[in-house]
Every structure is written in C-alpha cells, then in structure tokens.
Amino acid sequence: MFLSCQEGNHLCWTRHEPVGVCGQIIPWNFPLLMQAWKLGPALAAGNTIVMKLAEQTPLTGLYVAQLAVEAGFPAGVLNVVPGYGPTAGAALSEHMDVDKVAFTGSTEVGHLVAQAAAHSNLKRTTLELGGKSPNIVFADADIAHAVETSHFGVFFNMGQCCCAGTRIFVEGKIYDEFVERSVERAKMRNVGDPFDPNNEQGPQIDESQFKKVLEYINIGKNEGAKLLIGGNRSGDKGYFIQPTIFANVKDQMKFAREEIFGPVQQILRFDKMDDLWERANDSMYGLAASVFTKDLDKAMMFAQNVRAGTVWINMYDNFDAAAPFGGYKMSGHGREKGEYALEEYTEVKCVMVKVPQKNS
C-alpha cells in the first residue's frame, strides 16, 4: 500500500509481513474446525506453526499433519504436537523464540496463556475463550422457530460450544408458552450412540466434564431454579446427560453466570425493555448473542447495544468462513476467520524513501 507522506520528495509505503513462528493451541470440542480456523490464516500470511492439540482429541490433528506431509509442505513449516496444557501448552506460551500464540479454550486457561506471553517475550496473542451468551426472544417472534433455534443453540454438540446461547431471556407475554414448548422439544431429543443417525446427542467429552455439568445442575436446583426436565445422567454407563431445562432462573444465580459447557438450558423472563440491555450485558463474557423478533428496529437496537463479538438475528450458530468470529471482554481478543484473521498473523512495516526532485 502506497501512502502520501508530508510535503516534498518522499515516497512512503507499508509492508504486511509474517509475524514469524506462531504457537497455536486448539480445544477438543471441534478439533478439525478449530485446526482449520488456525492454520488457514497463519499459513496464508507466510508464518510457520507449532500447533498443540487437545489431549482428549489428538487423532484428527495428527492425521491432518500427515496429509500436509503428503501434500508436500516444506519441513518445519507446519509442526503438530500432542500433549498436555501444563507442559506442551505452557512451553509454547513461554518460549522466547515463539513470536505469537493463538489459543482457543477456557477463560481460566486463557489467563495463563496471556500471563506466560507477557512474562516471556511479550509475544502477540489472540484468545478465543468462554461465553455465556444471551438469547433474547420477544413476544412478536415466530415462537415455533425461536423454540427450535434456541434449542439448537444450547444443545448443539452436547452443549460443548463456547458460543452456546445459554441465557435465554423470554418476554413475559409468551414466557409460559415458550417454556412449555421447549420442554416438549427436549423430550423429543434422542440421547445415545453418536454414530447412530437417529440420535441427536452423544456423551460429554470425558468424566471430568460429565461431573462438572452434573455439579452445575445441582447448583441450579439448590439456588431455587425450577427443574422441568432432565437433570440426571442418561443411562447407566458412559458420560451421557439428559437434556436439561430450568425455568424461573434469576440473573444472579451462579449457574446462570458461569459457563456450564453441557446440555443445560436456562430460561429467564423479562417484562420490559428498560433494563434488558443491561441484563444481557451483565456478564464477564461477550462472545455471542442473538435476538428473535419481527421488529427490525428492536433487532438493530439490540445488535448495537449488546457487547458481543457476534450477534445473530432470528438465527443461531450460523457461520461463514469470511465472517469474523471472536469476543469482547473476558471472551478474549482478536478475530478468527476472514480478512480480520489475516491481520492477526501479520506485522505492519512502514518504509519511507527520499526521492529526487521531479518537475511538474
């Protein structure tokens, strides 16, 4: 890009250069997708990569590395290592020869990655972290569509999705109907072998996550939320959890503020718009949000007022490779996908040169 520079005989331009060696740490919930989101922009911008796979799901990433070798990638350009966070992940974050680290995972671990990056060589970071996304359903919405889409927005991938729409605010006029329909939809959800096409829901990733979800369900019960369906393990073996719905959820309940990462739908009520934006934003997270309404003015007002990196209107979990994705607040910083992702993997250099006088 060429720029005019001051008055006189000067030429100025900018170069977008690779950052260098990029450490990338991906999670277990979407191992192939997260690998693609990370590798694409980093390689396109000319960087080399050391990628740490999640210890729960290493096989997909290792197979992609094998395919890269077969495709003729030069040695050293793409390096993929399995390992644990406190060892392999920490080594990448702390290493003095790593110029950037990109991490997707929990906010808790995101803190550690950022601290390690700062304490080492002040390496650049992009962090895509947790969420507790608000989903607003107005009384004028297509309620059948809102129920089905909100169901998908919570229960997709067994609820193991950073942008899951877990805080559902429903306008009082339709609250009871929305809750009733949501329960009926959850009753239809088949839980079992994920390789059976008749099942919509498989197990949680491991025992630790299984126990964490059940613990949050018990917290919700103890806090006074109304359990309408589910709340227990499904079956007598494996890490399967029943689709669970709570009504009469209050903003300050612990399980309504912290990320559960499981098949647990929490339905809150609102009766006026005056404090709706404040309630929606009353979270340390800001990854995604959604609104269901036939009134475009309401939808646009919500989109402008909510502090979230992605806002869906009358839809949920819609993605495009060209559309940026990332969070506000403690959901992280930086963006994945599209042109904005390329910016995360380049350094901008300004070059100025004095040139001879030219006659007009």
Short mmCIF file of all heavy atoms in Angstrom, two decimals, residues 124-182:
data_model
loop_
_atom_site.label_atom_id
_atom_site.label_comp_id
_atom_site.label_asym_id
_atom_site.label_seq_id
_atom_site.Cartn_x
_atom_site.Cartn_y
_atom_site.Cartn_z
N ARG A 124 2.77 -11.68 20.77
CA ARG A 124 1.39 -11.34 20.43
C ARG A 124 0.46 -12.51 20.76
O ARG A 124 0.87 -13.67 20.70
CB ARG A 124 1.27 -10.99 18.95
CG ARG A 124 1.94 -9.68 18.58
CD ARG A 124 1.89 -9.42 17.10
NE ARG A 124 0.53 -9.44 16.58
CZ ARG A 124 0.23 -9.18 15.30
NH1 ARG A 124 1.18 -8.90 14.43
NH2 ARG A 124 -1.02 -9.21 14.89
N THR A 125 -0.77 -12.19 21.11
CA THR A 125 -1.74 -13.23 21.42
C THR A 125 -3.08 -12.95 20.75
O THR A 125 -3.47 -11.80 20.56
CB THR A 125 -1.99 -13.34 22.94
OG1 THR A 125 -2.53 -12.11 23.43
CG2 THR A 125 -0.72 -13.68 23.69
N THR A 126 -3.75 -14.02 20.37
CA THR A 126 -5.18 -13.96 20.10
C THR A 126 -5.82 -15.04 20.98
O THR A 126 -5.32 -16.16 21.07
CB THR A 126 -5.54 -14.21 18.62
OG1 THR A 126 -4.85 -15.36 18.15
CG2 THR A 126 -5.17 -13.03 17.77
N LEU A 127 -6.91 -14.67 21.62
CA LEU A 127 -7.56 -15.55 22.59
C LEU A 127 -9.05 -15.65 22.26
O LEU A 127 -9.74 -14.63 22.21
CB LEU A 127 -7.37 -15.00 24.01
CG LEU A 127 -5.94 -14.75 24.48
CD1 LEU A 127 -5.94 -14.03 25.82
CD2 LEU A 127 -5.16 -16.05 24.57
N GLU A 128 -9.51 -16.85 22.02
CA GLU A 128 -10.95 -17.09 21.82
C GLU A 128 -11.39 -17.98 22.97
O GLU A 128 -11.06 -19.16 23.01
CB GLU A 128 -11.19 -17.74 20.46
CG GLU A 128 -12.62 -17.62 19.98
CD GLU A 128 -13.45 -18.85 20.32
OE1 GLU A 128 -13.40 -19.83 19.59
OE2 GLU A 128 -14.14 -18.81 21.37
N LEU A 129 -12.13 -17.38 23.92
CA LEU A 129 -12.34 -18.01 25.21
C LEU A 129 -13.81 -18.35 25.45
O LEU A 129 -14.55 -18.59 24.52
CB LEU A 129 -11.78 -17.09 26.30
CG LEU A 129 -10.33 -16.63 26.06
CD1 LEU A 129 -9.88 -15.65 27.13
CD2 LEU A 129 -9.38 -17.82 25.97
N GLY A 130 -14.21 -18.37 26.72
CA GLY A 130 -15.53 -18.87 27.07
C GLY A 130 -16.66 -17.88 26.78
O GLY A 130 -16.45 -16.75 26.35
N GLY A 131 -17.88 -18.32 27.06
CA GLY A 131 -19.04 -17.47 26.83
C GLY A 131 -20.22 -17.88 27.70
O GLY A 131 -20.28 -18.99 28.23
N LYS A 132 -21.13 -16.95 27.84
CA LYS A 132 -22.43 -17.19 28.49
C LYS A 132 -23.43 -16.33 27.74
O LYS A 132 -23.94 -15.32 28.23
CB LYS A 132 -22.36 -16.83 29.98
CG LYS A 132 -23.54 -17.34 30.80
CD LYS A 132 -23.47 -18.85 31.02
CE LYS A 132 -24.62 -19.33 31.90
NZ LYS A 132 -24.56 -20.78 32.12
N SER A 133 -23.68 -16.72 26.51
CA SER A 133 -24.30 -15.82 25.53
C SER A 133 -25.80 -15.61 25.77
O SER A 133 -26.54 -16.57 25.99
CB SER A 133 -24.07 -16.37 24.13
OG SER A 133 -22.70 -16.47 23.86
N PRO A 134 -26.24 -14.34 25.72
CA PRO A 134 -27.67 -14.04 25.86
C PRO A 134 -28.43 -14.27 24.56
O PRO A 134 -27.95 -13.96 23.48
CB PRO A 134 -27.67 -12.56 26.24
CG PRO A 134 -26.45 -12.00 25.57
CD PRO A 134 -25.43 -13.12 25.61
N ASN A 135 -29.62 -14.79 24.71
CA ASN A 135 -30.52 -15.04 23.58
C ASN A 135 -31.87 -14.41 23.95
O ASN A 135 -32.53 -14.85 24.88
CB ASN A 135 -30.65 -16.54 23.35
CG ASN A 135 -31.69 -16.91 22.30
OD1 ASN A 135 -32.24 -16.04 21.63
ND2 ASN A 135 -31.98 -18.20 22.18
N ILE A 136 -32.27 -13.36 23.23
CA ILE A 136 -33.47 -12.58 23.55
C ILE A 136 -34.62 -13.02 22.64
O ILE A 136 -34.48 -13.04 21.41
CB ILE A 136 -33.23 -11.07 23.37
CG1 ILE A 136 -31.91 -10.64 24.04
CG2 ILE A 136 -34.41 -10.28 23.89
CD1 ILE A 136 -31.83 -10.89 25.51
N VAL A 137 -35.75 -13.36 23.25
CA VAL A 137 -36.93 -13.75 22.47
C VAL A 137 -38.06 -12.80 22.80
O VAL A 137 -38.62 -12.82 23.91
CB VAL A 137 -37.35 -15.21 22.77
CG1 VAL A 137 -38.56 -15.60 21.91
CG2 VAL A 137 -36.19 -16.16 22.53
N PHE A 138 -38.43 -11.95 21.84
CA PHE A 138 -39.53 -11.01 22.04
C PHE A 138 -40.87 -11.68 21.73
O PHE A 138 -40.93 -12.70 21.01
CB PHE A 138 -39.34 -9.78 21.14
CG PHE A 138 -38.31 -8.81 21.64
CD1 PHE A 138 -37.04 -8.78 21.08
CD2 PHE A 138 -38.61 -7.93 22.67
CE1 PHE A 138 -36.08 -7.88 21.53
CE2 PHE A 138 -37.66 -7.03 23.13
CZ PHE A 138 -36.39 -7.01 22.57
N ALA A 139 -41.93 -11.09 22.25
CA ALA A 139 -43.27 -11.67 22.10
C ALA A 139 -43.74 -11.72 20.66
O ALA A 139 -44.59 -12.55 20.30
CB ALA A 139 -44.28 -10.89 22.95
N ASP A 140 -43.18 -10.86 19.81
CA ASP A 140 -43.62 -10.84 18.41
C ASP A 140 -42.83 -11.82 17.54
O ASP A 140 -43.01 -11.87 16.32
CB ASP A 140 -43.50 -9.42 17.84
CG ASP A 140 -42.06 -8.93 17.75
OD1 ASP A 140 -41.17 -9.60 18.33
OD2 ASP A 140 -41.83 -7.90 17.11
N ALA A 141 -41.95 -12.60 18.12
CA ALA A 141 -41.14 -13.55 17.36
C ALA A 141 -42.00 -14.71 16.86
O ALA A 141 -43.07 -15.00 17.40
CB ALA A 141 -40.00 -14.08 18.22
N ASP A 142 -41.52 -15.37 15.83
CA ASP A 142 -42.10 -16.64 15.40
C ASP A 142 -41.73 -17.66 16.46
O ASP A 142 -40.60 -18.16 16.50
CB ASP A 142 -41.53 -17.02 14.03
CG ASP A 142 -42.04 -18.35 13.50
OD1 ASP A 142 -42.50 -19.18 14.32
OD2 ASP A 142 -41.96 -18.58 12.29
N ILE A 143 -42.67 -17.98 17.35
CA ILE A 143 -42.32 -18.74 18.54
C ILE A 143 -41.86 -20.16 18.21
O ILE A 143 -40.93 -20.68 18.86
CB ILE A 143 -43.48 -18.75 19.56
CG1 ILE A 143 -43.01 -19.32 20.90
CG2 ILE A 143 -44.68 -19.51 19.03
CD1 ILE A 143 -43.96 -19.09 22.03
N ALA A 144 -42.45 -20.79 17.21
CA ALA A 144 -42.02 -22.13 16.85
C ALA A 144 -40.56 -22.13 16.39
O ALA A 144 -39.75 -22.99 16.78
CB ALA A 144 -42.93 -22.71 15.78
N HIS A 145 -40.23 -21.15 15.56
CA HIS A 145 -38.85 -21.02 15.08
C HIS A 145 -37.91 -20.67 16.22
O HIS A 145 -36.80 -21.22 16.32
CB HIS A 145 -38.80 -19.94 14.00
CG HIS A 145 -37.41 -19.61 13.53
ND1 HIS A 145 -36.65 -20.49 12.80
CD2 HIS A 145 -36.64 -18.50 13.73
CE1 HIS A 145 -35.47 -19.94 12.54
NE2 HIS A 145 -35.44 -18.74 13.10
N ALA A 146 -38.33 -19.78 17.11
CA ALA A 146 -37.48 -19.37 18.23
C ALA A 146 -37.20 -20.54 19.17
O ALA A 146 -36.08 -20.70 19.66
CB ALA A 146 -38.13 -18.22 18.99
N VAL A 147 -38.22 -21.35 19.43
CA VAL A 147 -38.04 -22.51 20.31
C VAL A 147 -37.05 -23.50 19.69
O VAL A 147 -36.11 -23.96 20.35
CB VAL A 147 -39.39 -23.20 20.59
CG1 VAL A 147 -39.18 -24.58 21.20
CG2 VAL A 147 -40.25 -22.33 21.49
N GLU A 148 -37.26 -23.83 18.43
CA GLU A 148 -36.40 -24.81 17.77
C GLU A 148 -34.96 -24.30 17.67
O GLU A 148 -33.99 -25.04 17.93
CB GLU A 148 -36.94 -25.14 16.38
CG GLU A 148 -36.10 -26.14 15.60
CD GLU A 148 -36.00 -27.50 16.27
OE1 GLU A 148 -36.96 -27.92 16.95
OE2 GLU A 148 -34.95 -28.16 16.11
N THR A 149 -34.79 -23.05 17.28
CA THR A 149 -33.45 -22.50 17.10
C THR A 149 -32.74 -22.30 18.44
O THR A 149 -31.54 -22.53 18.55
CB THR A 149 -33.51 -21.17 16.33
OG1 THR A 149 -34.30 -21.35 15.14
CG2 THR A 149 -32.13 -20.69 15.93
N SER A 150 -33.48 -21.90 19.45
CA SER A 150 -32.89 -21.76 20.79
C SER A 150 -32.48 -23.12 21.34
O SER A 150 -31.46 -23.23 22.03
CB SER A 150 -33.88 -21.08 21.73
OG SER A 150 -34.20 -19.77 21.29
N HIS A 151 -33.28 -24.13 21.05
CA HIS A 151 -32.93 -25.50 21.44
C HIS A 151 -31.60 -25.90 20.81
O HIS A 151 -30.69 -26.40 21.49
CB HIS A 151 -34.04 -26.45 21.01
CG HIS A 151 -33.77 -27.89 21.27
ND1 HIS A 151 -34.13 -28.53 22.44
CD2 HIS A 151 -33.16 -28.84 20.51
CE1 HIS A 151 -33.76 -29.79 22.40
NE2 HIS A 151 -33.16 -30.01 21.23
N PHE A 152 -31.47 -25.66 19.53
CA PHE A 152 -30.23 -25.98 18.82
C PHE A 152 -29.07 -25.17 19.39
O PHE A 152 -27.96 -25.68 19.55
CB PHE A 152 -30.41 -25.69 17.33
CG PHE A 152 -29.15 -25.87 16.52
CD1 PHE A 152 -28.71 -27.13 16.16
CD2 PHE A 152 -28.41 -24.77 16.13
CE1 PHE A 152 -27.55 -27.29 15.42
CE2 PHE A 152 -27.24 -24.92 15.38
CZ PHE A 152 -26.82 -26.20 15.02
N GLY A 153 -29.33 -23.89 19.69
CA GLY A 153 -28.28 -23.01 20.18
C GLY A 153 -27.69 -23.42 21.51
O GLY A 153 -26.57 -23.03 21.84
N VAL A 154 -28.43 -24.20 22.29
CA VAL A 154 -27.93 -24.69 23.58
C VAL A 154 -27.40 -26.11 23.47
O VAL A 154 -26.31 -26.42 23.95
CB VAL A 154 -29.04 -24.65 24.65
CG1 VAL A 154 -28.56 -25.33 25.94
CG2 VAL A 154 -29.45 -23.23 24.94
N PHE A 155 -28.15 -27.00 22.84
CA PHE A 155 -27.86 -28.43 22.90
C PHE A 155 -26.93 -28.93 21.81
O PHE A 155 -26.45 -30.07 21.89
CB PHE A 155 -29.17 -29.23 22.86
CG PHE A 155 -30.02 -29.03 24.09
CD1 PHE A 155 -31.17 -28.24 24.04
CD2 PHE A 155 -29.68 -29.60 25.30
CE1 PHE A 155 -31.96 -28.05 25.17
CE2 PHE A 155 -30.45 -29.43 26.43
CZ PHE A 155 -31.59 -28.64 26.37
N PHE A 156 -26.64 -28.10 20.82
CA PHE A 156 -25.71 -28.48 19.76
C PHE A 156 -24.38 -28.96 20.35
O PHE A 156 -23.83 -28.35 21.26
CB PHE A 156 -25.48 -27.28 18.84
CG PHE A 156 -24.38 -27.47 17.83
CD1 PHE A 156 -24.43 -28.50 16.92
CD2 PHE A 156 -23.30 -26.59 17.80
CE1 PHE A 156 -23.42 -28.66 15.98
CE2 PHE A 156 -22.29 -26.74 16.87
CZ PHE A 156 -22.35 -27.78 15.96
N ASN A 157 -23.89 -30.09 19.85
CA ASN A 157 -22.60 -30.65 20.30
C ASN A 157 -22.60 -30.94 21.80
O ASN A 157 -21.61 -30.74 22.49
CB ASN A 157 -21.44 -29.72 19.93
CG ASN A 157 -20.10 -30.44 19.90
OD1 ASN A 157 -20.01 -31.59 19.47
ND2 ASN A 157 -19.05 -29.77 20.38
N MET A 158 -23.75 -31.40 22.31
CA MET A 158 -23.91 -31.73 23.73
C MET A 158 -23.71 -30.52 24.64
O MET A 158 -23.31 -30.65 25.80
CB MET A 158 -22.97 -32.88 24.15
CG MET A 158 -23.31 -34.23 23.54
SD MET A 158 -23.05 -34.33 21.75
CE MET A 158 -21.27 -34.35 21.67
N GLY A 159 -23.95 -29.33 24.09
CA GLY A 159 -23.77 -28.11 24.86
C GLY A 159 -22.32 -27.68 24.99
O GLY A 159 -22.02 -26.69 25.67
N GLN A 160 -21.42 -28.40 24.34
CA GLN A 160 -19.98 -28.13 24.44
C GLN A 160 -19.57 -27.16 23.34
O GLN A 160 -18.82 -27.50 22.42
CB GLN A 160 -19.21 -29.45 24.37
CG GLN A 160 -19.58 -30.40 25.51
CD GLN A 160 -19.02 -31.79 25.34
OE1 GLN A 160 -18.69 -32.46 26.31
NE2 GLN A 160 -18.91 -32.27 24.11
N CYS A 161 -20.07 -25.95 23.46
CA CYS A 161 -19.85 -24.92 22.44
C CYS A 161 -19.65 -23.58 23.15
O CYS A 161 -20.48 -23.18 23.97
CB CYS A 161 -21.05 -24.86 21.51
SG CYS A 161 -20.85 -23.70 20.14
N CYS A 162 -18.55 -22.90 22.83
CA CYS A 162 -18.21 -21.68 23.56
C CYS A 162 -19.24 -20.58 23.37
O CYS A 162 -19.41 -19.72 24.24
CB CYS A 162 -16.83 -21.18 23.12
SG CYS A 162 -16.67 -20.94 21.34
N CYS A 163 -19.95 -20.57 22.24
CA CYS A 163 -20.91 -19.51 21.98
C CYS A 163 -22.35 -19.96 22.21
O CYS A 163 -23.30 -19.31 21.74
CB CYS A 163 -20.75 -18.98 20.55
SG CYS A 163 -20.94 -20.22 19.26
N ALA A 164 -22.55 -21.04 22.94
CA ALA A 164 -23.90 -21.55 23.20
C ALA A 164 -24.79 -20.47 23.81
O ALA A 164 -24.37 -19.73 24.69
CB ALA A 164 -23.83 -22.77 24.13
N GLY A 165 -26.03 -20.40 23.34
CA GLY A 165 -26.97 -19.39 23.83
C GLY A 165 -27.65 -19.86 25.10
O GLY A 165 -28.84 -20.20 25.10
N THR A 166 -26.93 -19.84 26.20
CA THR A 166 -27.40 -20.47 27.43
C THR A 166 -28.27 -19.56 28.29
O THR A 166 -29.01 -20.04 29.15
CB THR A 166 -26.21 -20.96 28.25
OG1 THR A 166 -25.24 -19.90 28.35
CG2 THR A 166 -25.54 -22.15 27.59
N ARG A 167 -28.17 -18.24 28.13
CA ARG A 167 -29.03 -17.33 28.91
C ARG A 167 -30.17 -16.87 28.01
O ARG A 167 -30.03 -15.92 27.25
CB ARG A 167 -28.23 -16.13 29.43
CG ARG A 167 -27.20 -16.49 30.50
CD ARG A 167 -26.62 -15.21 31.11
NE ARG A 167 -25.91 -14.43 30.11
CZ ARG A 167 -25.92 -13.10 30.05
NH1 ARG A 167 -26.63 -12.40 30.90
NH2 ARG A 167 -25.22 -12.47 29.12
N ILE A 168 -31.30 -17.53 28.09
CA ILE A 168 -32.43 -17.22 27.20
C ILE A 168 -33.40 -16.31 27.94
O ILE A 168 -34.03 -16.71 28.92
CB ILE A 168 -33.12 -18.50 26.73
CG1 ILE A 168 -32.10 -19.43 26.05
CG2 ILE A 168 -34.27 -18.18 25.79
CD1 ILE A 168 -32.66 -20.75 25.61
N PHE A 169 -33.52 -15.08 27.46
CA PHE A 169 -34.44 -14.09 28.05
C PHE A 169 -35.71 -14.07 27.19
O PHE A 169 -35.65 -13.70 26.01
CB PHE A 169 -33.81 -12.70 28.06
CG PHE A 169 -32.60 -12.58 28.95
CD1 PHE A 169 -31.33 -12.90 28.48
CD2 PHE A 169 -32.72 -12.12 30.26
CE1 PHE A 169 -30.21 -12.77 29.29
CE2 PHE A 169 -31.61 -11.99 31.08
CZ PHE A 169 -30.35 -12.32 30.60
N VAL A 170 -36.83 -14.45 27.78
CA VAL A 170 -38.09 -14.54 27.03
C VAL A 170 -39.08 -13.51 27.59
O VAL A 170 -39.27 -13.41 28.81
CB VAL A 170 -38.69 -15.95 27.13
CG1 VAL A 170 -39.99 -16.04 26.33
CG2 VAL A 170 -37.68 -16.99 26.62
N GLU A 171 -39.72 -12.77 26.68
CA GLU A 171 -40.68 -11.75 27.11
C GLU A 171 -41.85 -12.41 27.84
O GLU A 171 -42.34 -13.48 27.46
CB GLU A 171 -41.16 -10.95 25.91
CG GLU A 171 -41.93 -9.71 26.29
CD GLU A 171 -42.13 -8.73 25.15
OE1 GLU A 171 -41.70 -9.03 24.00
OE2 GLU A 171 -42.73 -7.67 25.39
N GLY A 172 -42.31 -11.75 28.90
CA GLY A 172 -43.31 -12.32 29.79
C GLY A 172 -44.58 -12.79 29.10
O GLY A 172 -45.18 -13.78 29.52
N LYS A 173 -45.01 -12.09 28.05
CA LYS A 173 -46.26 -12.43 27.37
C LYS A 173 -46.25 -13.85 26.81
O LYS A 173 -47.31 -14.47 26.67
CB LYS A 173 -46.53 -11.43 26.24
CG LYS A 173 -46.74 -10.00 26.70
CD LYS A 173 -46.88 -9.08 25.49
CE LYS A 173 -46.99 -7.62 25.91
NZ LYS A 173 -47.05 -6.71 24.73
N ILE A 174 -45.09 -14.33 26.44
CA ILE A 174 -45.00 -15.67 25.84
C ILE A 174 -44.13 -16.61 26.66
O ILE A 174 -43.82 -17.71 26.21
CB ILE A 174 -44.46 -15.59 24.39
CG1 ILE A 174 -43.03 -15.00 24.38
CG2 ILE A 174 -45.39 -14.82 23.49
CD1 ILE A 174 -42.31 -15.19 23.05
N TYR A 175 -43.74 -16.18 27.86
CA TYR A 175 -42.78 -16.97 28.65
C TYR A 175 -43.29 -18.39 28.90
O TYR A 175 -42.58 -19.37 28.62
CB TYR A 175 -42.49 -16.27 29.98
CG TYR A 175 -41.45 -16.97 30.82
CD1 TYR A 175 -40.10 -16.75 30.61
CD2 TYR A 175 -41.82 -17.89 31.82
CE1 TYR A 175 -39.13 -17.40 31.37
CE2 TYR A 175 -40.87 -18.55 32.58
CZ TYR A 175 -39.52 -18.30 32.35
OH TYR A 175 -38.58 -18.96 33.10
N ASP A 176 -44.50 -18.53 29.40
CA ASP A 176 -45.01 -19.86 29.75
C ASP A 176 -45.12 -20.75 28.52
O ASP A 176 -44.78 -21.94 28.57
CB ASP A 176 -46.37 -19.74 30.44
CG ASP A 176 -46.28 -19.12 31.82
OD1 ASP A 176 -45.17 -19.12 32.40
OD2 ASP A 176 -47.29 -18.60 32.32
N GLU A 177 -45.57 -20.19 27.41
CA GLU A 177 -45.70 -20.98 26.19
C GLU A 177 -44.33 -21.40 25.67
O GLU A 177 -44.14 -22.55 25.25
CB GLU A 177 -46.44 -20.18 25.11
CG GLU A 177 -46.63 -20.95 23.82
CD GLU A 177 -47.33 -20.16 22.73
OE1 GLU A 177 -47.67 -18.97 22.98
OE2 GLU A 177 -47.51 -20.70 21.63
N PHE A 178 -43.37 -20.47 25.72
CA PHE A 178 -42.02 -20.79 25.26
C PHE A 178 -41.42 -21.91 26.11
O PHE A 178 -40.83 -22.86 25.57
CB PHE A 178 -41.14 -19.54 25.32
CG PHE A 178 -39.75 -19.75 24.79
CD1 PHE A 178 -39.45 -19.46 23.47
CD2 PHE A 178 -38.73 -20.24 25.61
CE1 PHE A 178 -38.16 -19.66 22.97
CE2 PHE A 178 -37.45 -20.45 25.12
CZ PHE A 178 -37.16 -20.16 23.80
N VAL A 179 -41.59 -21.81 27.41
CA VAL A 179 -41.06 -22.84 28.31
C VAL A 179 -41.71 -24.19 28.03
O VAL A 179 -41.02 -25.23 27.93
CB VAL A 179 -41.27 -22.43 29.78
CG1 VAL A 179 -41.00 -23.61 30.72
CG2 VAL A 179 -40.39 -21.24 30.14
N GLU A 180 -43.02 -24.20 27.89
CA GLU A 180 -43.75 -25.45 27.64
C GLU A 180 -43.29 -26.09 26.33
O GLU A 180 -43.04 -27.30 26.27
CB GLU A 180 -45.25 -25.17 27.60
CG GLU A 180 -46.10 -26.41 27.38
CD GLU A 180 -47.59 -26.10 27.35
OE1 GLU A 180 -47.98 -24.97 27.73
OE2 GLU A 180 -48.37 -26.98 26.93
N ARG A 181 -43.18 -25.28 25.30
CA ARG A 181 -42.76 -25.81 24.00
C ARG A 181 -41.30 -26.31 24.05
O ARG A 181 -40.95 -27.30 23.40
CB ARG A 181 -42.91 -24.75 22.91
CG ARG A 181 -44.34 -24.42 22.53
CD ARG A 181 -44.35 -23.62 21.24
NE ARG A 181 -45.66 -23.23 20.80
CZ ARG A 181 -45.96 -22.90 19.55
NH1 ARG A 181 -45.00 -22.91 18.63
NH2 ARG A 181 -47.17 -22.53 19.22
N SER A 182 -40.47 -25.61 24.81
CA SER A 182 -39.06 -26.01 24.92
C SER A 182 -38.94 -27.36 25.60
O SER A 182 -38.11 -28.21 25.22
CB SER A 182 -38.27 -24.95 25.69
OG SER A 182 -38.23 -23.73 24.97
#
